[in-house]
Amino acid sequence: MGIISKILGVVLTASGALILTHAMDPNVGSLSFVLFVVGLLVMSVGFGLLTAGKQKKEVKASLPTVTEIRCNGCDFKEIRDYEKGDYILKPLEMKCPKCSGKMTIEGVYVVREEPDKDRF
Amino acid sequence: MQIGLDGGEYSWVLNLVFFAFIMIMSLYGQKIQMWQWLKQIEAGLIELKRMAIESRQSAIDTFKEHGTEEEEVAKEIDRWLDYFTIMPVDLDPAGILKRLDHLLDQRRDRFQEFVTDLTPDASNSERMNLENTLEVTQVLSLIFRIVRHFYLLGKKTGSTIMVMQVQMIMPELLRLAKAYSDAMDAFSQGKPIGDGIGPLVVTKLAREYDATPETYVHEVTKEVGYYPIEVEGRTVYAMRATGPGGTVGKPGFAVKKIVEDNKGKIARIITVDAALKLEGEEMGRVSEGTGAAIGDPGPEKHAIEQAATDNQIGIEAIVVKEDEAAAVGVLDKRVLDSLPEVIDRIKIAIRKRTKPGDKIILVGIGNTIGIGL
Ligand SMILES: [Zn+2]
């Protein structure tokens, strides 16, 4: 359905434009109104087919949640995927690889993309 | 090209088309417009229905992990989806907040009873998260059912005003529903949400002054307690709801209770909460003001304001700006990054507007899901 209707849209738009240019030709005479209307109609149908279905955005996969772990003693920091049972300020069993101190979850968050800046 | 004027032998075609167009539009324009609106509502309804069904399914999936068969869970959740609360009568406003508070307590008890019956194996904090999950499912189901009601009614009666109104608020409803639908994942898994920034700020600040989960005083009121800390010679009651299960507790009444227990000694009340940002404002922006920053239906806020007024206590609010999606969805990095600034501003407030020896209530308002003590 997708590609066929797109091709049909292109063909119709092009033929509509052709009819329109033909209608502009002074030699056509009185038939030019009809050609004009028909050309517009064909072209709008073509445009309709071309732009149809465009508003359907592809479904975005939900953003990954990450867990930020920090050592209580030094400045060691690790970011990993969220695991069930994680919560902010949860003390962890694991030892810091740098100073083997205790570690805590300091953040569970997602990084949402910044929307395009408006002019204001 | 020549249009209309002296016309050739075919100009009557154009004239006919032109007049037919005018006639059709003036006679049936309204009908065409209605049809278009109904189609637009229909597209929205399909989306709303999908979200309602998906959230119901994910609620069922989460509930059935805790010791009840899927069929039983589905049946019970369907029974619960249109649970309602009747707001107290306001013709006689005297004592309306007391009545509202009573109704809200009753409602919460029924919710807890429902969840407990359905999840014999769950821990307390898992049950709190399940309660939240259920509420989100209810909201999505409610939005869908209301829009469907107006759609069908509008179609049946042909009432333009009904259809027009629904069509106009549809984008806003979809936005809201999308925010809640995205939040399902946070609530069902117990991830922290943007609304939890208040309690997080309080705990972070308290830990700077040697508070630990062990020094937290539990249950001043239902599910709310505080860390007693000393900040530069002042005694601070750093108050928040208990976590990491999802609850907002009753912080307003906890403030009132502490004020009453320390008659005349409390010098300031500072509330910290997440607030809805205006479109165009920066996510995670910290702003401050006067008043009680708490978004409950009324009784809690009233309790804080009344306690402050009766005892002439200064009251101020510090909020972190977020949009709906961030407030009910998983905590956003930019909101989390606002922590140091909020804590700074609280310290400034304490230093500038209280004296050593004073007692201060600092209260972090918000849902504590995924935020440890
Ligand atoms: Zn370390």
Side-chain angles (χ1 to χ4, degrees), chain A residues 71 73-74 76 96 98-101:
Chain A
C71 169
C74 64
F76 178 78
C96 168
K98 252 165 109 182
C99 70
S100 64

